[in-house]
Amino acid sequence: MKTIRALCLGLVPFGLAACDTAENETNQPAADAGFINVYSARHYDEDDLLYDKFEAETGIEVRRIEASGDLLIERVRAEGEVSPADVIITVDAGRLWRAEQADLFQPLESDAVNDAIPARLRDPEGRWVGIAKRARVIVHAPDRVDAADIDTYQDLADPALAGRLCVRSSGNIYNLSLLAGLIERWGAEQAEIWAAGVAANFARPPQGGDTDQIRAVAAGVCDVALVNHYYWVRLATSDKQEDQDVAAATTIIWPDQEGDGTHVNVSGIGVAANAPNAENARRFIEFLVAPAQQTLLARANNEFPASGAPTDNPVLDGIGRPQEEVINVRVYGERQAEAAAIFDRVGWP
Ligand SMILES: [Fe+2]
């Protein structure tokens, strides 16, 4: 497996050929080459194991090009019809939706995919499919807040939490997708009242990433935070004592277990619109949704398999599994603009 880091992003939109491997200069629409170009926003060592396994099973060489989520999408868009991308892997259905809206995917008809992955975790038109699941959860300091008082998303807007809540900025895709899902559940009016209530409870202006929010709870900056579950699991399984201490000082709550279920999003993949090796792309995606790969893929980032495959992750198993919301994850994209407008209006920067 080859990893080609996207250091050439600065060259966009000209001179992209300089970033590509020589073979890509001879793109032929005829038969697939003996390789696949995987554009991935994931950066986990365990993914390399998966790619090695795919190579061993199929003889198809995996060439990975890495960039962060939005840069990855920008790159494929800038490359246009000559893009060597065969598949695009990125995180959050809201971002998969952006790629879909930019016409970066082509539909994939695959019984193997449709049988393995629940319909709510796939684009109904087959342009992308979830390959791992992440929950947006509440983390709190159990010595300062009673779990029963903050076991729903609605509780985060309770005035009792004034000055006690930490969360990252609203421009982050995780927050956009969460609010989009809440708009779908409650309607835009109720969702806006909620967002205003949450913004009124900030302990500090939104800053940092999800891990920073958990650290802030442990440090006493705030009592409650809203984060993706795997950041907490990452701290709990860290080699560093200071990270383990942060996890030990905080507890995860799966929100809305009595109601509509916890907000669950995906990491996902789709066949690139101009994939030179579309058949290899299909084989690669079908490989990733098979049970053994689902378990490995999820374990890499302490996510849950998108299929019904087992987790093989003792720490994750130790915190249980949430009852999930049932709406199709594509809604997180469809309502993204509405969510952004609400965040603007309520003053959640
Ligand atoms: Fe993340």
Side-chain angles (χ1 to χ4, degrees):
M1 193 212 58
K2 252 188 226 171
T3 298
I4 306 161
R5 296 198 182 265
L7 296 172
C8 42
L9 279 164
L11 302 178
V12 174
F14 304 109
L16 279 163
C19 312
D20 300 331
T21 51
E23 289 87 342
N24 294 330
E25 290 164 11
T26 57
N27 274 350
Q28 297 297 328
D32 282 6
F35 61 86
I36 177 172
N37 289 317
V38 175
Y39 277 44
S40 180
R42 288 172 55 106
H43 316 284
Y44 307 116
D45 294 343
E46 291 89 339
D47 286 2
D48 294 350
L49 298 176
L50 281 175
Y51 300 160
D52 290 345
K53 189 176 173 196
F54 180 73
E55 287 183 2
E57 285 185 13
T58 65
I60 299 167
E61 182 192 350
V62 174
R63 299 178 180 177
R64 184 165 74 172
I65 290 149
E66 289 182 343
S68 73
D70 289 324
L71 287 176
L72 192 73
I73 291 170
E74 262 323 298
R75 177 170 176 175
V76 180
R77 198 204 305 254
E79 289 171 344
E81 288 182 8
V82 298
S83 175
D86 290 310
V87 293
I88 303 165
I89 299 174
T90 193
V91 297
D92 202 289
R95 202 176 266 130
L96 289 158
W97 180 84
R98 286 178 187 166
E100 168 210 309
Q101 293 294 297
D103 292 326
L104 301 189
F105 292 130
Q106 59 176 290
L108 172 67
E109 271 302 322
S110 165
D111 289 342
V113 169
N114 293 347
D115 290 348
I117 307 298
R120 79 161 283 260
L121 305 178
R122 295 185 262 119
D123 169 40
E125 293 182 32
R127 290 163 293 194
W128 48 266
V129 56
I131 51 176
K133 295 189 291 193
R134 59 264 309 282
R136 196 131 182 88
V137 305
I138 295 166
V139 163
H140 73 121
D143 53 335
R144 302 195 297 274
V145 192
D146 195 346
D149 291 337
I150 44 156
D151 58 3
T152 68
Y153 294 113
Q154 191 63 58
D155 286 338
L156 298 177
D158 190 318
L161 286 186
R164 302 169 67 192
L165 176 72
C166 281
V167 65
R168 71 198 296 173
S169 72
S170 67
N172 175 261
I173 194 77
Y174 305 153
N175 285 335
L176 284 165
S177 288
L178 172 65
L179 185 55
L182 295 180
I183 294 169
E184 181 73 11
R185 288 185 194 192
W186 300 336
E189 196 177 331
Q190 188 57 38
E192 181 156 348
I193 292 168
W194 175 83
V198 172
N201 287 341
F202 289 158
R204 59 179 185 183
Q207 56 196 264
D210 280 3
T211 303
D212 298 310
Q213 315 311 318
I214 305 171
R215 290 192 200 284
V217 172
V221 174
C222 38
D223 296 334
V224 179
L226 178 61
V227 299
N228 282 357
H229 81 279
Y230 53 85
Y231 291 105
W232 185 89
V233 179
R234 194 181 292 167
L235 289 167
T237 55
S238 168
D239 294 335
K240 295 181 188 156
Q241 186 61 45
E242 66 203 70
D243 290 344
Q244 293 176 27
D245 292 346
V246 167
T250 56
T251 305
I252 275 194
I253 292 175
W254 304 121
D256 289 18
Q257 293 304 280
E258 306 291 313
D260 292 327
T262 295
H263 174 82
V264 169
N265 209 316
V266 292
S267 299
I269 189 169
V271 181
N274 299 298
N277 308 296
E279 175 59 15
N280 289 352
R282 183 187 62 76
R283 291 181 69 180
F284 184 71
I285 294 174
E286 291 181 348
F287 169 82
L288 290 183
V289 301
Q293 284 71 251
Q294 276 287 290
T295 297
L296 281 170
L297 193 70
R299 189 180 167 114
N301 186 33
N302 299 300
E303 291 174 273
F304 299 105
S307 75
T311 57
D312 187 29
N313 188 330
V315 175
L316 195 51
D317 290 344
I319 57 174
R321 261 183 117 133
Q323 180 200 307
E324 302 171 12
E325 70 183 343
V326 297
I327 55 186
N328 187 288
V329 293
R330 188 171 180 279
V331 168
Y332 307 157
E334 291 169 1
R335 294 195 176 278
Q336 190 174 101
E338 280 178 89
I342 286 176
F343 281 136
D344 272 356
R345 282 197 295 270
V346 304
W348 179 335

